[in-house]
Amino acid sequence: SDQYDPQALQEKWQPRWEEIDPFRASEDPEDPRERRYMLDMFPYPSGDLHMGHGEAFAIGDVIARYWIQRGYNVLHPIGWDSFGLPAENAAIKRNAHPAEWTYNNIDTQATSFRRYAVSFDWSRRLHTSDPEYFKWNQWLFKRFYERGLAYRRGGLVNWCPQDQTVLANEQVISGRCERCGAEVVRRELTQWYFKITEYADRLLEDMKQLEGGWPERVLTMQRNWIGRSEGADVQFRIEGREEPVTVYTTRPDTLYGATFFVVAPDSQLAEEIVSDEQRPAFEAYRAEVAKLSDIERLSTEKEKTGVFLGVHAINPVNGERIPVWAADYVLSDYGHGAIMAVPAHDQRDLDFALKFGLPVRVVVDTGLPDPAQSGEATPGEGTLVNSGPLNGLSKAEAIRKMIEILTERGVGKAAVNYRLRDWLVSRQRYWGTPIPIIHCPDCGEVPVPDEDLPVTLPDLRGEALLPKGVSPLANAPEWVNVACPKCGADAKRDTDTMDTFVDSSWYFLRYVDPHYEDGPFDVEKVRRWGPIDMYVGGIEHAVLHLLYSRFFTKVLYDMGMVNFTEPFLRQINQGQVINQGKAMSKSLGNGVDLGEQIDAYGVDAVRLTMIFAGPPEDDIDWADVSPAASQKFLSRAFRVMADVTSPPGVDFSTGDIELRKITHRTIDEVTRLIEAYRFNVAVARMMELTSATRKAIDSGPGPADPAVREAAETLAIMLSLVAPYCAEEGWERLGHAPSVARAGWPTADPALLVQEAVTCVVQVAGKVRDRLEVSPDISEAELRDLALSSKKIRDLLDGEPRRVVVRAPKLVNIVP
Ligand code: ANZ
Ligand code: ZN
């Protein structure tokens, strides 16, 4: 048909593309093309693709398709992050196996992706729940274990009572479970950890490589999450205790202002030092605190609580006896789990002091009112007072001086502290990677030998998967009970599974060869493809996936397996697709279904709408955009391409110069806009080119003019980044073989970019004596010289003119 029919084009081209397979990356080491690696955050297979996928993948595809047009050898893979809780919950509900739900959804999404025409190299597809994939999670776990980077310890952990599993700190959002929103509680459990803290300094330092390439917002979030601070470790003696207790402080300058001492109620130390008399009160308090999240405990809004422990500490610099309290605002797993409290200069200490009637002593004169009176601590700059040898010094000088004093006396030293905690990786759920450790009564922890990997999952379904606080794997005795690989004694497998963030911490390396059998990834191929040139995905991963992947990459670097220390050089975080100003949700009933939008307007119009709506980082309010208008534009573009009557290969240089200029200016601008990720403006330029071409066909040089063909071909290639079906059909109608995706990006002819000339009037004594054709952005000096060197003007003047007034670019007025 001669009308633009999106559904017909989809049916026609999708199978043709599967045959042509235009997006397969070349592994030929001799291929001279520069390589580029474009990565989209891989989806979780929860149902079909939604609007958010539609947006993110449309954005990533513009970049990948642009690179392909530019002649790069582009790797643009797809896979599924297919382990995780929702599959398990669905399986419990339907009395089925989580794999069923998972692989059904993967099929659904894969079908949708193909229709959505994302430029994937499908030959590299992977699923993290495949044994051939998670085998390597286990292999990597073992390598981490051997390097002391995977370890098991008891301690307080975040526990989601709804999902009945522990969570990493990164998965607790404002005190709630990242997945289900239930309030997280603290529990004492023995769990597996990855020692990400050993990499804290490098995670921070290497961010230099990411500046300019990553959104500033994400860098800031990571910096805060890692939370490096500088200060001192100071030792306090506690009466009746042999060993001194160390506290970490960022303000050693305020040591003379420490008027009490606080330990975390859930710390070993509190339990140990509390006096017999105070023990009942302490234990009651500790039970209350166990119900709170860290966020609540640290909140400055929260009313301060605490109990006196019935003992005193000795200030190491002035020998002063100060009372020791337990209070929830001190965390057991931060610093050393104990603090010196300086109420005059720390707000939380002040709130506590005022509530419990403890003394407040100013040691830094900041010029502000007395905190004891105002209730406002004064943490700022000032001059030291009441501080012996520090008196008169500035804050910075006093910090230095105090560290010197402490070091000299052997009661302290400079110290750096990080907020980052080790990554808790064990989960008490089924649908994940089994931890490859066997517990032997004699040998202790014994790793499963490499040749016995993968440790696969026992076949459990339905009821057997119900969360019970211990892993469902514990319900499979024939799986759990094994012989110790070392001594042969009766032993038991570890029944926890790994956090699925382990799976996603290295998947981008496996894409280079997803069926590779000699290791987690082909080291040589990763050397050629890595690191990732562009990563597109959601901001919600700012401190989870993105931090963990950076950590993995550094460990792999140390293992000599990758030759780069940062995995993702550049990153775009797409905005959200919202509707009527609000996030889409069932309860609001404002959900928009991607499949329905595509059925109504076609893939191209939906993709174009996503891209045209605004810059990639901005939210898209679906109520404010018009896929119908996108469809209308595409049908206009289609007509332009279909109306061309000149044969392919005509000499463009004989074409209409005005249209040619527009075409080449469009090429120039769109190229620069795409390079700057300003895709929406690039689309606007394509729309303008479409209108100009239409005009040239209807009321200009006509459809046979070579310039019309040049414009239409340019349009087809540019449009292929956002509306691949329409572009492909247009390309075919223009007499070319598919695929337009590999047509090659057009180059702007500099000769055709010269701006239109402006006529400048040159007056001598108020009379027009000459007209000059000049560039619209000519400078005043240039224009002056040009006017004065004109033959007509020189003939009129004898000698230097008295005055020359220049109004670039239109007027030069000469007073002889
Ligand atoms: C005395 C002091 C005086 C402090 C002052 C601050 C201001 P960052 O920057 O986050 O590392 N702190 C230390 N360990 C703690 C724990 N386990 N729980 C809660 N708070 C703890 O913060 C370091 C500061 O946080 C330390 O410096 C300590 O209070 C507190 F005018 O020591 B400061
Ligand atoms: Zn053994």
Side-chain angles (χ1 to χ4, degrees):
S1 123
D2 254 19
Q3 283 313 306
Y4 171 62
D5 178 349
Q7 307 299 343
L9 296 188
Q10 285 164 214
E11 274 158 41
K12 171 177 172 182
W13 286 109
Q14 203 193 311
R16 296 275 299 274
W17 288 334
E18 313 244 315
E19 273 165 45
I20 305 168
D21 198 8
F23 304 115
R24 194 176 278 248
S26 161
E27 284 296 348
D28 179 2
E30 306 296 312
D31 193 319
R33 292 175 298 163
E34 192 182 312
R35 286 162 204 272
R36 287 274 172 103
Y37 189 167
M38 163 66 218
L39 185 67
D40 307 283
M41 286 187 187
F42 66 166
Y44 183 78
S46 50
D48 201 349
L49 300 182
H50 52 64
M51 294 296 278
H53 293 120
E55 187 199 7
F57 286 91
I59 291 168
D61 210 33
V62 171
I63 299 168
R65 285 173 175 270
Y66 172 71
W67 286 348
I68 291 166
Q69 296 285 20
R70 291 302 300 251
Y72 296 113
N73 183 9
V74 175
L75 174 56
H76 186 200
I78 184 67
W80 277 268
D81 190 10
S82 49
F83 267 143
L85 266 182
E88 205 166 323
N89 292 337
I92 293 167
K93 228 192 253 162
R94 304 155 179 218
N95 196 27
H97 193 282
E100 257 173 56
W101 182 90
T102 303
Y103 289 94
N104 278 339
N105 285 347
I106 289 177
D107 282 349
T108 303
Q109 292 193 350
T111 304
S112 295
F113 271 136
R114 287 177 187 275
R115 176 166 78 149
Y116 206 55
V118 190
S119 63
F120 294 135
D121 178 344
W122 282 95
S123 70
R124 294 160 189 274
R125 169 173 177 173
L126 62 78
H127 317 122
T128 58
S129 54
D130 290 350
E132 74 162 358
Y133 184 88
F134 71 72
K135 168 182 181 171
W136 300 108
N137 281 340
Q138 295 170 338
W139 187 92
L140 287 164
F141 185 99
K142 284 189 61 187
R143 302 293 89 80
F144 278 40
Y145 184 77
E146 288 155 10
R147 302 175 79 83
L149 293 172
Y151 67 93
R152 200 163 169 255
R153 70 163 160 84
L156 281 174
V157 298
N158 303 302
W159 176 263
C160 172
Q162 173 69 33
D163 293 330
Q164 294 273 304
T165 183
V166 299
L167 301 170
N169 283 353
E170 290 79 1
Q171 289 165 319
V172 182
I173 312 295
S174 307
R176 291 177 180 277
C177 170
E178 174 227 6
R179 287 262 174 207
C180 74
E183 211 158 314
V184 169
V185 296
R186 307 276 280 173
R187 263 206 185 180
E188 176 82 29
L189 284 172
T190 297
Q191 296 289 321
W192 287 97
Y193 293 84
F194 280 165
K195 213 178 206 169
I196 190 171
T197 53
E198 197 162 304
Y199 284 74
D201 50 348
R202 284 166 66 185
L203 286 166
L204 202 61
E205 187 60 23
D206 289 349
M207 257 184 239
K208 286 198 190 100
Q209 294 179 47
L210 307 176
E211 249 143 64
W214 279 34
E216 195 47 51
R217 180 156 76 123
V218 178
L219 292 175
T220 304
M221 284 166 85
Q222 290 221 352
R223 224 173 265 127
N224 291 343
W225 188 261
I226 297 165
R228 182 183 193 274
S229 69
E230 283 180 13
D233 277 345
V234 184
Q235 291 176 8
F236 280 70
R237 260 191 355 90
I238 294 196
E239 286 178 355
R241 190 180 197 264
E242 192 73 37
E243 275 290 295
V245 174
T246 305
V247 301
Y248 172 73
T249 176
T250 46
R251 296 293 305 275
D253 58 314
T254 63
L255 202 43
Y256 281 85
T259 53
F260 57 103
F261 192 97
V262 188
V263 300
D266 42 355
S267 64
Q268 205 39 56
L269 181 65
E271 163 72 26
E272 185 200 318
I273 62 178
V274 62
S275 70
D276 292 345
E277 204 180 327
Q278 287 299 95
R279 182 169 291 275
F282 163 69
E283 282 175 357
Y285 179 62
R286 186 172 57 183
E288 279 308 302
V289 173
K291 296 179 192 150
L292 303 175
S293 69
D294 281 7
I295 307 272
E296 290 167 305
R297 288 175 58 166
L298 288 173
S299 162
T300 44
E301 320 283 79
K302 184 180 158 292
E303 177 84 10
K304 290 283 167 289
T305 58
V307 286
F308 178 48
L309 291 182
V311 289
H312 286 79
I314 310 293
N315 186 325
V317 289
N318 59 9
E320 200 172 342
R321 275 182 96 230
I322 55 177
V324 179
W325 287 66
D328 61 2
Y329 77 96
V330 172
L331 303 177
S332 59
D333 58 357
Y334 188 70
H336 304 282
I339 65 158
M340 62 179 216
V342 185
H345 307 294
D346 181 285
Q347 191 62 47
R348 278 173 297 161
D349 294 345
L350 182 63
D351 294 343
F352 194 85
L354 294 179
K355 167 135 189 217
F356 293 101
L358 295 159
V360 179
R361 185 189 307 146
V362 172
V363 290
V364 182
D365 181 3
T366 59
L368 292 168
D370 181 1
Q373 249 66 63
S374 69
E376 304 272 348
T378 56
E381 301 298 322
T383 306
L384 272 282
V385 293
N386 299 326
S387 295
L390 305 183
N391 285 343
L393 299 181
S394 72
K395 181 169 150 182
E397 289 166 343
I399 288 176
R400 233 173 294 128
K401 177 84 182 171
M402 181 52 85
I403 290 174
E404 248 176 64
I405 295 172
L406 293 168
T407 311
E408 238 164 62
R409 297 207 207 154
V411 288
K413 59 176 184 354
V416 169
N417 194 47
Y418 293 93
R419 207 177 82 92
L420 186 67
R421 297 278 75 94
D422 277 341
W423 171 15
L424 200 172
V425 294
S426 42
R427 296 290 179 276
Q428 291 69 53
R429 297 302 300 250
Y430 172 78
W431 192 231
T433 305
I435 288 177
I437 296 287
I438 290 167
H439 299 281
C440 169
D442 301 322
C443 314
E445 292 165 1
V446 182
V448 174
D450 281 0
E451 58 272 22
D452 294 344
L453 300 181
V455 177
T456 53
L457 290 162
D459 188 350
L460 298 181
R461 52 187 67 220
E463 290 272 290
L465 301 173
L466 272 175
K468 298 168 192 71
V470 291
S471 171
L473 293 181
N475 297 334
E478 63 297 344
W479 182 89
V480 172
N481 296 315
V482 284
C484 167
K486 242 191 197 161
C487 73
D490 287 350
K492 286 184 187 303
R493 288 190 191 282
D494 197 295
T495 56
D496 285 352
T497 52
M498 294 182 207
D499 182 0
T500 56
F501 278 108
V502 174
D503 315 359
S504 52
S505 289
W506 64 280
Y507 76 108
F508 44 92
L509 303 171
R510 181 117 182 125
Y511 275 138
V512 302
D513 189 351
H515 308 297
Y516 188 65
E517 289 182 348
D518 300 329
F521 51 89
D522 183 327
V523 168
E524 264 320 299
K525 287 182 183 166
V526 165
R527 208 173 281 274
R528 290 203 290 269
W529 284 112
I532 280 87
D533 295 288
M534 174 55 82
Y535 200 18
V536 174
I539 186 78
E540 67 273 17
H541 293 291
V543 287
L544 289 152
H545 164 57
L546 290 171
L547 192 67
Y548 298 147
S549 306
R550 296 184 59 221
F551 162 59
F552 258 65
T553 302
K554 289 171 204 309
V555 177
L556 291 166
Y557 176 85
D558 291 350
M559 290 167 66
M561 292 183 70
V562 299
N563 60 343
F564 44 88
T565 52
E566 284 296 334
F568 315 122
L569 298 182
R570 275 179 297 272
Q571 194 190 154
I572 290 179
N573 304 123
Q574 80 277 2
Q576 276 193 54
V577 187
I578 59 175
N579 192 23
Q580 296 147 7
K582 297 198 181 67
M584 295 184 195
S585 78
K586 277 212 181 85
S587 57
L588 289 175
N590 65 342
V592 179
D593 183 78
L594 181 65
E596 283 171 18
Q597 294 293 307
I598 290 174
D599 290 342
Y601 304 105
V603 166
D604 286 347
V606 171
R607 289 177 52 145
L608 187 97
T609 304
M610 299 276 189
I611 297 298
F612 187 50
E617 304 78 19
D618 287 10
D619 288 352
I620 301 175
D621 191 336
W622 207 250
D624 293 347
V625 296
S626 171
S630 299
Q631 196 184 6
K632 230 187 224 154
F633 158 66
L634 288 170
S635 82
R636 277 202 307 277
F638 172 82
R639 285 261 33 109
V640 159
M641 296 184 282
D643 284 352
V644 171
T645 54
S646 61
V650 293
D651 182 3
F652 294 150
S653 70
T654 63
D656 177 71
I657 190 75
E658 290 313 316
L659 182 57
R660 294 205 71 205
K661 281 183 180 171
I662 294 172
T663 301
H664 284 260
R665 221 173 296 136
T666 305
I667 295 171
D668 182 58
E669 286 179 18
V670 168
T671 304
R672 274 187 278 158
L673 289 164
I674 301 272
E675 301 266 358
Y677 314 119
R678 298 178 61 200
F679 310 137
N680 57 321
V681 190
V683 169
R685 294 288 173 275
M686 296 179 207
M687 291 174 169
E688 286 162 19
L689 178 61
T690 306
S691 303
T693 315
R694 180 80 259 155
K695 220 167 112 197
I697 294 171
D698 292 347
S699 53
D705 190 282
V708 169
R709 167 167 285 275
E710 185 181 35
E713 291 189 355
T714 300
L715 188 62
I717 296 169
M718 290 179 166
L719 217 47
S720 76
L721 310 190
V722 273
Y725 289 104
C726 178
E728 193 73 271
E729 180 69 16
W731 192 242
E732 189 183 56
R733 299 215 176 200
L734 284 161
H736 295 292
S739 171
V740 67
R742 291 197 170 278
W745 195 249
T747 320
D749 179 350
L752 292 168
L753 294 179
V754 180
Q755 286 279 358
E756 236 114 302
V758 202
T759 305
C760 173
V761 171
V762 186
Q763 297 180 333
V764 178
K767 278 206 185 107
V768 176
R769 297 297 190 170
D770 198 6
R771 288 172 207 275
L772 305 167
E773 293 296 299
V774 300
S775 151
D777 21 79
I778 193 165
S779 73
E780 296 215 332
E782 262 182 291
L783 189 54
R784 183 180 197 277
D785 292 349
L786 204 64
L788 292 176
S789 59
S790 132
K791 174 135 187 2
K792 282 186 197 159
I793 303 298
R794 266 191 292 135
D795 289 351
L796 283 169
L797 298 172
D798 49 7
E800 279 295 300
R802 278 197 288 146
R803 228 152 69 85
V804 181
V805 180
V806 185
R807 295 270 175 274
K810 292 232 162 115
L811 177 73
V812 178
N813 196 356
I814 301 170
V815 184

